[in-house]
Amino acid sequence: MKKQSKWLSLSLAAMLLLTACTGGTGTGGGTTEVDALPTIVENEGEPIEGGVLKVGMIGSSPFKGMFCAPLYLGADDAMVMQYTMWGAFMLDADFKIRDGGPVSLAVDVENKTSTLTIDEKYTWNDGTPVTAMDFAYYYYIIADPDYTGVRYDDEMRTVVGIEDYHNGTSETISGLEIKDDKTLVVHLTKVSPSNLWGGAIPFEPVPYHQLKDIPVKDLESSDAVRKNPLSAGPYYITEIVSGEKVMFKANEYFWKGKALIPEVMMELVNPDAVVEAIQMGKYDFVLTSFPADKYNEVVNLNNVTVIGRPTYIYDYTGFKLGKWDTTNGEVVTDLTMKMGDVNLRKAMGYALDMEAINQQLFNGLRPPANSLIPPLFTNFHTDNPNAISYDKEKAIQILDDAGYKDVDNDGFRENPDGSKLQINVATLARGDLGDSLALFYTQSWQDVGLDTVLTTGRPIEYNSFYDKVQNDDADIDVFMAGWSTGSNPEPSALYGKNALFNYIRFTTPELEQILKDINSEQAFDDAFRNDAYKRFEEYMIEHAPIIPNNYRIEVNVINDRVKYFDWSHPDSEKPYSSWAELQLTAAEPYAHEE
């Protein structure tokens, strides 16, 4: 077995992320091994005919198997679809939509329209061309009164006439203009820079000819979503083992040509078993990124190359500050709740030594975060000097000054009014790592005198965790979770008043105005937009309804039988690349040789 790796360093953004977030922590400076990870790997060997690309989906819970763009909720279902069934748009270096993909986007600020133009070659795997109606029908699904998903948000409500359709006063969405089979003009009540990133348009089409006769209330349980969803991407689903495994075949109608590897096998693998699976040569690579805490166990294997890149993911501490009003579809904030005191929230943020966790559990791949805008977005992220970072003495001082005293001498502080304070913390089950993190969080807060206990008494299984968080379970005061901003860092979908994903349930008129400024026509001016993002960061630091804990450097392991693999982020000049262009040089993945 011969291997020749093409080592391309991480982007400058990644290096800035690692240095800016670790400075002054006592861990030392300079280039680390993580900095030098490649984003592209190239191996020797002649490609074979046929073969099955074998992909491990890292997870400790079964995936839900809801394979439809407007309906899915879990990141695991998105992983199944992202590289096999999706791919409507190309992105530039700023992650904005650019030409070069099967669908192009043109935003007309003056006339308040977004126009989608579909390539003639863009086709579903059953041979039916993708049409403007496939994009238009996405709107009809999310605006249907029986739709129970999360994508009928503030941005989508800017489509002219969509509220009338949702409320039942119109049988059509008047703002959708199908000029011809390949052109959809979306008329908007307002435009903003988010439209350049795909705001208020579907990120993928839906097969109208397959779904049109299925009532929206029945879509989630339909075979068209659960068993035989159509794909316009390089692969389509041929078999599903519920929650565990998905098989694909190459889409012969794929717009860039049939994929070079004819089949894909995607299979759930437990985080505790993934190292052994990679060592044995069970997979060509994994999704999503490889567990950071297991990096040292694979970096020296001789059957794989470890690659890495920065992400737009951050982990955070979220405080429950209200409820979701299902009738009006909006957040109702209640600062009389247990976590309503900003001093308590800030103290809890200052009590967490995230750099220690980064080094001890994550091998330097989870640098401390200082903003809700990841550094990958270099035009919007700022290193705010007021950001909350580890300072145990400051946490203690804040609590003392705010009146949180140990009145009954039990070792824990009471509320300023003398009443008992016990804080219920929800964390995710992640095997031994989840147990270690849960202990770290609760112990850190107990060390500053706060009585913190785990909701249910232990870390919570993934699906149950998010069910509890989304439904504002009364036993959750604080929760530890993560967000991926997606390619657009615009924060209203996570922190807007009408955003179901606003799990902290925090909203104020001042925050709403800042979000409106970020999404205003004025924000097409770079200086105005950058200032609005800065004001957002400052406001969230001041009020601390959520505290970013750490960013992520994601790593993957590419088996040596994969001829060429490109994991670099989008670039304005980068040619089209996808799994359709992957090739294999051996019948099975290589195993590690002792």
Side-chain angles (χ1 to χ4, degrees):
M1 176 176 62
K2 296 181 179 179
K3 177 174 70 172
Q4 180 182 27
S5 296
K6 182 178 180 182
W7 289 85
L8 301 181
S9 65
L10 286 171
S11 66
L12 179 61
M15 291 185 283
L16 288 175
L17 187 154
L18 285 169
T19 56
C21 293
T22 58
T25 62
T27 59
T31 301
T32 68
E33 184 180 4
V34 172
D35 290 323
L37 287 175
T39 55
I40 296 176
V41 60
E42 185 173 6
N43 290 304
E44 291 183 342
E46 289 297 318
I48 64 170
E49 295 289 334
V52 179
L53 184 69
K54 297 183 176 181
V55 182
M57 290 175 54
I58 299 178
S60 54
S61 302
F63 55 84
K64 290 189 175 181
M66 198 178 300
F67 303 131
C68 183
L71 299 178
Y72 84 93
L73 291 174
D76 43 6
D77 287 350
M79 283 192 295
V80 172
M81 296 182 281
Q82 183 174 357
Y83 303 102
T84 55
M85 301 168 65
W86 289 352
F89 298 101
M90 288 285 285
L91 306 178
D92 68 11
D94 290 324
F95 302 96
K96 294 195 300 291
I97 293 175
R98 69 170 176 89
D99 291 342
V103 185
S104 61
L105 169 69
V107 178
D108 185 332
V109 177
E110 182 178 355
N111 292 308
K112 294 183 172 60
T113 62
S114 288
T115 299
L116 301 180
T117 304
I118 303 167
D119 190 286
E120 291 289 341
K121 296 179 181 178
Y122 198 31
T123 304
W124 298 104
N125 65 276
D126 65 352
T128 304
V130 175
T131 69
M133 190 61 197
D134 293 325
F135 282 92
Y137 196 56
Y138 183 104
Y139 295 100
Y140 281 97
I141 290 175
I142 66 168
D144 191 285
D146 290 328
Y147 175 71
T148 59
V150 298
R151 292 177 177 84
Y152 187 57
D153 56 19
D154 285 348
E155 280 194 340
M156 285 301 183
R157 289 185 177 93
T158 65
V159 176
V160 172
I162 198 168
E163 289 275 53
D164 294 332
Y165 179 80
H166 177 72
N167 295 328
T169 58
S170 175
E171 294 184 356
T172 61
I173 300 174
S174 60
L176 302 180
E177 178 189 356
I178 298 179
K179 296 190 70 172
D180 55 51
D181 277 353
K182 298 297 181 182
T183 311
L184 174 66
V185 181
V186 182
H187 296 265
L188 304 166
T189 59
K190 67 171 187 175
V191 291
S192 76
S194 286
N195 298 114
L196 301 175
W197 276 265
I201 65 168
F203 59 93
E204 290 291 327
V206 295
Y208 172 70
H209 65 289
Q210 185 190 32
L211 305 182
K212 63 180 180 178
D213 296 324
I214 305 173
V216 169
K217 64 182 177 63
D218 297 330
L219 276 177
E220 290 188 8
S221 59
S222 69
D223 286 355
V225 170
R226 297 286 187 171
K227 294 183 178 180
N228 56 356
L230 291 178
S231 166
Y235 292 94
Y236 66 95
I237 291 174
T238 58
E239 179 187 350
I240 300 173
V241 178
S242 182
E244 298 179 7
K245 181 178 178 180
V246 186
M247 295 295 299
F248 301 84
K249 284 190 177 179
N251 175 10
E252 63 180 296
Y253 300 101
F254 184 53
W255 72 283
K256 286 293 287 184
K258 188 174 180 180
L260 299 176
I261 301 174
E263 294 185 73
V264 173
M265 184 276 292
M266 201 176 294
E267 175 180 75
L268 191 70
V269 55
N270 190 282
D272 294 332
V274 68
V275 171
E276 182 180 4
I278 293 298
Q279 186 172 357
M280 294 173 58
K282 191 171 182 179
Y283 302 115
D284 291 300
F285 49 84
V286 297
L287 292 178
T288 50
S289 64
F290 201 83
D293 59 307
K294 300 184 185 300
Y295 168 78
N296 286 337
E297 299 180 48
V298 295
V299 69
N300 294 317
L301 296 180
N302 57 29
N303 63 324
V304 296
T305 297
V306 180
I307 59 177
R309 65 182 182 181
T311 71
Y312 27 62
I313 300 173
Y314 59 89
D315 296 308
Y316 65 88
T317 302
F319 302 98
K320 278 294 185 180
L321 299 173
K323 301 289 184 180
W324 177 255
D325 182 342
T326 56
T327 301
N328 296 309
E330 65 182 25
V331 165
V332 178
T333 297
D334 178 7
L335 294 183
T336 67
M337 293 180 67
K338 189 183 296 185
M339 306 311 300
D341 185 352
V342 65
N343 295 299
L344 177 59
R345 301 195 298 270
K346 285 186 175 181
M348 292 183 74
Y350 282 114
L352 296 179
D353 187 353
M354 297 312 302
E355 178 54 27
I357 285 298
N358 177 41
Q359 297 299 330
Q360 294 172 18
L361 293 183
F362 293 113
N363 300 297
L365 296 167
R366 296 289 186 269
N370 58 2
S371 169
L372 297 175
I373 308 296
L376 188 59
F377 299 101
T378 55
N379 289 324
F380 307 124
H381 172 86
T382 58
D383 293 318
N384 194 303
N386 297 317
I388 296 172
S389 59
Y390 176 61
D391 189 333
K392 181 178 177 180
E393 296 308 313
K394 188 169 185 176
I396 292 172
Q397 190 64 54
I398 289 173
L399 292 170
D400 287 344
D401 292 346
Y404 292 89
K405 307 291 186 181
D406 181 7
V407 178
D408 57 9
N409 295 315
D410 67 347
F412 295 117
R413 300 171 186 266
E414 275 68 50
N415 284 304
D417 64 3
S419 61
K420 182 175 177 60
L421 173 62
Q422 185 176 77
I423 300 171
N424 299 307
V425 182
T427 67
L428 276 164
R430 301 167 64 183
D432 292 341
L433 176 61
D435 292 340
S436 297
L437 287 171
L439 180 61
F440 161 73
Y441 296 131
T442 54
Q443 186 64 58
S444 296
W445 290 321
Q446 289 169 7
D447 285 347
V448 297
L450 296 174
D451 185 6
T452 51
V453 297
L454 292 178
T455 300
T456 75
R458 61 182 62 85
I460 305 170
E461 183 271 335
Y462 179 91
N463 294 319
S464 296
F465 175 89
Y466 279 104
D467 283 343
K468 288 178 177 291
V469 169
Q470 183 168 316
N471 290 308
D472 301 324
D473 190 297
D475 290 331
I476 296 178
D477 302 314
V478 179
F479 59 100
M480 318 302 293
W483 282 127
S484 172
T485 67
S487 58
N488 182 7
E490 191 280 308
S492 64
L494 301 180
Y495 304 113
K497 182 178 181 178
N498 299 110
L500 181 59
F501 280 143
N502 184 343
Y503 290 152
I504 55 177
R505 308 309 187 205
F506 177 79
T507 184
T508 66
E510 294 80 12
L511 177 57
E512 279 297 289
Q513 185 58 56
I514 293 171
L515 296 176
K516 287 179 181 178
D517 287 345
I518 290 174
N519 282 294
S520 67
E521 287 190 34
Q522 285 179 282
F524 280 99
D525 175 78
D526 290 344
F528 182 90
R529 183 172 70 248
N530 292 346
D531 178 70
Y533 271 102
K534 183 178 180 180
R535 286 187 283 122
F536 168 74
E537 289 186 305
E538 291 174 345
Y539 190 86
M540 297 301 269
I541 290 171
E542 178 186 357
H543 293 273
I546 184 172
I547 296 174
N549 291 336
N550 52 271
Y551 301 122
R552 297 189 189 183
I553 302 297
E554 60 179 344
V555 296
N556 210 326
V557 285
I558 309 302
N559 192 273
D560 291 347
R561 75 157 179 161
V562 178
K563 177 67 178 174
Y564 181 88
F565 194 93
D566 183 349
W567 216 35
S568 57
H569 283 300
D571 185 277
S572 298
E573 305 301 323
K574 182 179 177 181
Y576 179 87
S577 62
S578 80
W579 286 10
E581 298 178 335
L582 296 180
Q583 293 178 290
L584 305 174
T585 61
E588 295 292 338
Y590 292 113
H592 171 70
E593 298 175 355
E594 297 292 347

